[in-house]
Amino acid sequence: MRFGRTLALLGVGLLWFGFGPLVLVAALLSLLWPPARAWLRPTRRVVAVWAAVVVVLAGLAVVVPDGWVPIPPGPGRWVTPAYVGRPLVAGPERGPVGESPTVVTKSYGVADCHRVEFDDDGRPVLLCGGERPVLRVLDPDSLRQLRSTDLPGAGCAGRLVVVGADLVASSGQRILTIGDDDLVVESSVDLAGELGSGDCVTGLGADPTGRVWFASRDGLVGFVAGDRVRTVDLGDRVDRPLTVADEGVYVAGAEGLHRVVIEGGKPVAAWDSPYDDGGERGSAPVVLPDGLVAVADNRSPRLQVVFHRAGSGDVVCRAEVFGDDEGATDGGLVAAGSGVVVQNSHGYHGPRSTLLGRTTSRGIARVDVVGGRCRVAWTTDMDAPSGAPAVSTEDGLAYVWTKRHSWLGVDAWYLSALDLRTGRLAWARRTGLNPLADNHGGAVALGPDRAAYVPVLGGLVKVADRR
């Protein structure tokens, strides 16, 4: 039959697109049968054509500017639901409510973006590139890049905060103030005289007065006052971002939780609350409205959520969540009214942990403090491998980046909205079907346009209600 091989290959491609990677596995296994292998053996002309196609596609991936094309689609479209659940009756307040949600994606390569900030005009701002930071300002509707710049300095992962009409970022051992309109560096403060060799900024934030705070991996915490830097040494290792609140900052170190305030124009440690022996801090401090501060403790055998008094650092209570030796989080702790929502990242060690339909240890939980006692309000067994959720108390929803387990090897990723009161799934929208949709530590962010933005391995994803 003329074109028989072409039709067979097209059929395999169509089945792969609809049913997932196992179709290719079955096709490859069929080549173990000698007659099939002999029939499908390509001619030199066919090999040359396919080689040319690969070269052209690889060239386009290099030539096409960042943010011009969507994240490539993946297989498994026919065996995974595009949408489940029902939208909320009430209109959106801070995030999408599931009313025929649309998905927009743009590819920015494997850019290592983890958080989305928003400038004064509501435009998404990303700091990507790991130890060689690249600052990007995007159009909120199309996600196309409006402008970008490579920041001076290297060797440390960059941090970003929006301060009024300016963007403040750390790059190398510098703190840069950058104009939002043109991305020109307006000022640069060198921390090399304060930080030791090899030390890096791990946390960056701004208080209501516009004062920029920072924390370093070796435990130096301070703020920038004009071109001067004031610091205090906590004598502790800090791997988590700091949290700015109440005219000071909270810092989760390796040995304890710290509160730093300003006295006499200098930063001082107001209190230090040592942890119990063992465990590892799994989140930045989360400040709650009832005078409490929560942190996650990756302790054996079970993950703990620990609540401290904001004024003294005293431990109020602690709650264990998820199963024995199956619980840990990596930044996945966020405020939810007077409590917190925590997601389980145990078992996630990178994109390979979720390849071919696999998932990690499951679990998302809400913990409240009632009458001075910790109470686990609910736990759900959905899988959220990494990153951090976002919470809208106004909409009563927690937005989580989740993955479905698939015996067919399909990598289906979803933005899932959970009822904040019960933990039940309200709705979920499929957002990607390949490893490039893995958020890889990226946090869900709610924009001023009431859409959800998530940085993923292959770029950026936006989910919004139909307008």
Side-chain angles (χ1 to χ4, degrees), residues 172-187:
Q173 291 190 334
R174 292 179 174 271
I175 293 181
L176 311 172
T177 300
I178 303 159
D180 187 22
D181 292 332
D182 51 14
L183 298 189
V184 172
V185 176
E186 298 175 350
S187 66

Side-chain angles (χ1 to χ4, degrees), residues 226-304:
D227 58 352
R228 294 187 302 170
V229 179
R230 300 292 182 89
T231 63
V232 60
D233 189 351
L234 299 180
D236 196 356
R237 182 180 176 88
V238 179
D239 293 314
R240 297 293 173 183
L242 55 74
T243 300
V244 179
D246 303 327
E247 300 180 353
V249 296
Y250 296 92
V251 181
E255 303 297 331
L257 180 64
H258 310 275
R259 167 73 169 155
V260 178
V261 298
I262 299 176
E263 291 183 3
K266 299 180 180 180
V268 297
W271 50 256
D272 303 290
S273 180
Y275 305 126
D276 293 341
D277 291 338
E280 177 189 17
R281 284 353 95 199
S283 73
V286 174
V287 178
L288 303 176
D290 296 336
L292 300 176
V293 181
V295 292
D297 186 359
N298 292 333
R299 182 174 294 274
S300 180
R302 301 181 71 185
L303 169 65
Q304 293 184 357

Side-chain angles (χ1 to χ4, degrees), residues 369-389:
V369 178
V370 180
R373 295 177 178 273
C374 288
R375 180 175 68 91
V376 179
W378 50 258
T379 301
T380 178
D381 65 351
M382 297 187 70
D383 186 68
S386 70

Side-chain angles (χ1 to χ4, degrees), residues 279-342:
E280 177 189 17
R281 284 353 95 199
S283 73
V286 174
V287 178
L288 303 176
D290 296 336
L292 300 176
V293 181
V295 292
D297 186 359
N298 292 333
R299 182 174 294 274
S300 180
R302 301 181 71 185
L303 169 65
Q304 293 184 357
V305 179
V306 186
F307 293 85
H308 298 255
R309 297 197 187 281
S312 63
D314 295 336
V315 174
V316 176
C317 63
R318 60 183 72 228
E320 294 184 335
V321 291
F322 313 132
D324 288 352
D325 300 318
E326 293 183 349
T329 193
D330 187 11
L333 184 75
V334 295
S338 59
V340 296
V341 170
V342 57

Side-chain angles (χ1 to χ4, degrees), residues 8 75 162 219 378 444-445:
V162 177
W378 50 258
V444 181

